[in-house]
Amino acid sequence: MRTFYLNNTGHRWRNFYESEECGIGKPESMEWQTESGKRITRVIKFWESLGNYAVAHINYKGKVIKVFPYEILED
């Protein structure tokens, strides 16, 4: 996995899986669970540090939201 920092302070970054053809492959994706138990997979637009934690910025229901990796999403 390769990491690219989006700013000089390093508090926002994006991860990509490595590809044999070009070096940089697909962007990182992750799976979340909704309140009803449904599992959804989303591509992470970028990560942002929040103190000792990190939140992912993802598209969900037509909006960009910040979520923790272990957060349960509303339906």
Side-chain angles (χ1 to χ4, degrees), residues 11-61:
H11 73 276
R12 290 192 310 181
W13 65 94
R14 188 148 191 217
N15 295 322
F16 291 89
Y17 296 107
E18 295 196 28
S19 169
E20 292 182 15
E21 295 122 18
C22 63
I24 301 173
K26 293 185 192 179
E28 182 182 15
S29 61
M30 199 168 188
E31 191 174 86
W32 281 269
Q33 186 172 347
T34 64
E35 292 173 339
S36 65
K38 182 179 172 185
R39 294 193 165 279
I40 59 163
T41 302
R42 294 289 184 265
V43 171
I44 298 170
K45 295 175 79 62
F46 64 91
W47 289 94
E48 184 175 16
S49 66
L50 194 63
N52 290 335
Y53 303 97
V55 291
H57 291 248
I58 62 169
N59 288 329
Y60 185 63
K61 294 187 175 181

